[in-house]
């Protein structure tokens, strides 16, 4: 058994003069304060990777910077699934008795500390070195290919994809820490600059500065405990040229394993925190996870199903698409928001019931998946 005892999150956007370590430290201290723990209470640290500060021992670099001496330290790299993969590892470390309190932290000054060309070059390396990279695609191009195929197979339109961007922006408008606060509509998305058709600028997550952290502990520290009920992973491929059929991607595998491990069903879930690097990512994952039928997720958005007051509130902070994306910390913001919802601290964003939460992370081009259930216990 393990509990998420504290969470910390910076605002996302521009943080002029702040390094990756500064942003990580801010989020980490906030998580410790939230958990009611001191730095000396931390005996394990898991750290996400950074494209701005690509040190081969980033976990111990941060431990030194933050002033802790853990008995266990490990950096993790699974793309966008890294945050939940670290949470899963922390859960196992705590449940097995290796650690008592594990600090999970990530952050980058990716917006102000890295040039546009450097960002593009870093993201391009996800491709196959022989069959993909020489042709020049980057992450948006790969997802554009996936989007075209998905639209063809399931009758999804560009206007359907735009609905997800509109929803995430509406949610971000209610969070003071979000990178974007200007409402948008479907017409705005359709008129935005083409990036990798059918994906346009507002179909894509932004580049951000920011940090996120949380503490996974053996024992709860607050009145309302947030327990990791269970989790699972699936890894079907690395490169898009080796991807299986759309109906055989890893999200379906990882959610089936997570449901089997926990005894929970999708019908038990009251709040969803789902990776949304692009609108197509969110559309596909919602359907792969069983939160909507094939080709039906956009209709559910239009009907208000995933809004704050809907039957399945989704990413009420604005997600990667509008709260922002600072690398590994971007997806970790989903868990921070889920924790705030589960403990009744989401202010004006508070949903009616967040007693059972489903989180899902996606790394690469729908390559690596982590599904996780959280449960509120009294």
């Amino acid at each position: 058994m393990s509990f998420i005892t504290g969470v910390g999150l910076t605002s996302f956007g521009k943080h002029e003069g702040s390094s990756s370590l500064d942003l990580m430290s801010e989020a980490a201290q906030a998580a410790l304060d939230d958990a009611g723990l001191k730095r000396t209470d931390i005996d394990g640290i898991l750290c996400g990777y950074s494209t701005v500060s690509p040190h081969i021992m980033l976990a111990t670099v941060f431990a030194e910077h933050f002033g802790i001496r853990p008995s266990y330290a490990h950096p993790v790299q699974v793309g966008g699934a890294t945050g939940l993969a670290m949470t899963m590892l922390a859960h196992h470390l705590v449940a097995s008795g290796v650690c008592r309190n594990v600090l999970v932290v990530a952050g980058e000054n990716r917006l102000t500390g890295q040039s546009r060309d450097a960002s593009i070059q870093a993201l391009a390396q996800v491709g196959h070195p022989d069959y993909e990279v020489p042709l020049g695609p980057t992450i948006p191009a790969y997802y554009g290919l996936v989007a075209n195929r998905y639209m063809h197979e399931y009758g999804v339109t560009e206007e359907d994809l735009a609905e997800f961007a509109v929803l995430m922006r509406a949610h971000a408008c209610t969070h003071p820490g979000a990178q974007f606060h200007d409402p948008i509509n479907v017409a705005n998305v359709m008129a935005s600059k083409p990036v990798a058709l059918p994906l346009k600028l507002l179909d894509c997550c932004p580049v951000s500065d920011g940090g996120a952290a949380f503490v996974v502990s053996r024992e709860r520290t607050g009145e309302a405990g947030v327990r990791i009920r269970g989790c699972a992973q699936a890894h079907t491929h690395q490169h898009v040229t080796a991807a299986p059929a759309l109906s055989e991607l890893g999200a379906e595998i990882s959610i089936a394993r997570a449901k089997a491990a926990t005894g929970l069903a999708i019908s038990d879930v009251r709040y969803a925190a789902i990776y949304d690097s692009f609108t197509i990512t969110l559309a596909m994952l919602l359907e792969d996870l069983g939160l909507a039928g094939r080709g039906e997720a956009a209709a559910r958005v239009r009907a208000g199903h995933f809004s704050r007051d809907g039957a399945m509130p989704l990413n009420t902070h604005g997600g990667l698409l509008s709260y922002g994306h600072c690398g590994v910390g971007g997806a970790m913001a989903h868990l921070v928001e889920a924790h705030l919802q589960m403990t009744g601290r989401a202010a004006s964003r508070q949903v009616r019931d967040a007693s059972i939460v489903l989180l899902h992370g996606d790394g690469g081009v729908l390559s690596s998946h982590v599904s996780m259930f959280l449960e509120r216990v009294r």
Side-chain angles (χ1 to χ4, degrees):
M1 183 178 294
S2 68
F3 296 89
I4 298 173
T5 52
V7 296
L9 182 67
T10 72
S11 61
F12 280 16
K14 281 190 176 181
H15 285 267
E16 296 282 1
S18 293
S19 68
S20 294
L21 291 175
D22 292 335
L23 294 165
M24 292 165 67
S25 297
E26 181 181 342
Q29 188 57 57
L32 288 178
D33 292 343
D34 193 41
L37 298 172
K38 303 183 296 295
R39 297 189 187 192
T40 51
D41 294 320
I42 299 298
D43 55 357
I45 180 168
L46 298 175
C47 180
Y49 64 92
S50 167
T51 61
V52 180
S53 307
H55 198 285
I56 62 173
M57 296 178 64
L58 191 55
T60 46
V61 167
F62 176 75
E64 177 185 82
H65 178 83
F66 196 58
I68 58 176
R69 294 185 176 184
S71 58
Y72 186 98
H74 195 49
V76 179
Q77 291 181 261
V78 203
T82 301
L84 287 186
M86 291 194 293
T87 310
M88 184 173 178
L89 177 55
H91 166 63
H92 290 317
L93 289 170
V94 166
S96 64
V98 173
C99 296
R100 195 166 194 84
N101 296 296
V102 178
L103 175 64
V104 179
V105 61
E108 286 192 67
N109 58 333
R110 191 175 280 193
L111 179 58
T112 60
Q114 190 174 55
S115 70
R116 181 184 66 178
D117 289 346
S119 294
I120 292 173
Q121 185 176 11
L123 293 175
Q125 301 313 304
V126 73
H128 193 285
D130 297 322
Y131 306 132
E132 296 171 6
V133 171
L135 300 176
T138 61
I139 290 284
Y142 295 125
Y143 274 92
L145 291 172
V146 172
N148 276 303
R149 185 65 196 178
Y150 199 80
M151 291 165 65
H152 172 74
E153 289 199 13
Y154 298 108
V156 174
T157 67
E158 292 185 40
E159 288 82 2
D160 287 337
L161 296 182
E163 294 285 357
F164 298 96
V166 174
L167 176 65
M168 290 300 98
R169 183 60 61 87
H171 285 173
C173 285
T174 66
H175 197 304
Q179 186 165 348
F180 297 112
H181 293 108
D182 296 324
I184 59 174
N185 56 34
V186 169
N188 297 142
V189 180
M190 296 298 292
S192 62
K193 180 180 178 180
V195 174
L197 292 176
L199 302 179
K200 296 163 285 296
L201 184 63
L202 292 178
D203 286 299
C204 307
C205 63
V207 176
S208 316
D209 296 339
F214 34 88
V215 180
V216 179
S217 304
R218 195 179 310 172
E219 299 173 1
R220 56 195 283 184
T221 59
E223 288 186 15
V226 175
R227 181 166 76 99
I228 298 176
R229 176 75 176 262
C231 36
Q233 298 186 20
H235 308 271
T236 55
H237 63 284
Q238 173 57 41
H239 305 106
V240 71
T241 50
L246 293 180
S247 60
E248 301 171 5
L249 291 172
E252 293 187 70
I253 301 170
S254 66
I255 190 62
R257 291 171 177 167
K259 289 191 293 186
T262 59
L264 293 172
I266 293 300
S267 59
D268 296 315
V269 176
R270 297 293 176 264
Y271 177 90
I274 311 299
Y275 194 80
D276 60 318
S277 51
F278 301 94
T279 53
I280 183 60
T281 318
L282 187 54
M284 290 180 65
L285 289 178
L286 287 171
E287 295 171 9
D288 288 350
L289 295 168
L291 292 165
R294 293 293 184 194
E296 298 176 0
R300 289 202 164 193
V301 172
R302 293 188 191 98
H305 183 80
F306 296 114
S307 66
R308 187 192 67 191
D309 298 321
M312 184 62 68
L314 170 72
N315 299 352
T316 50
H317 64 305
L320 297 169
L321 286 167
S322 278
Y323 190 88
H325 195 355
C326 63
V328 173
M332 289 171 61
H334 291 62
L335 189 148
V336 172
E337 177 72 2
H339 193 277
L340 294 177
Q341 291 286 0
M342 297 181 80
T343 53
R345 299 181 294 156
S348 63
R349 305 183 310 282
Q350 189 64 50
V351 302
R352 290 188 302 272
D353 180 10
S355 53
I356 299 287
V357 169
L358 169 63
L359 300 104
H360 186 87
D362 156 41
V365 187
L366 299 165
S367 313
S368 294
H369 297 265
V370 183
S371 299
M372 179 175 296
F373 289 99
L374 302 182
E375 176 184 36
R376 186 177 64 222
V377 293
R378 295 292 182 181

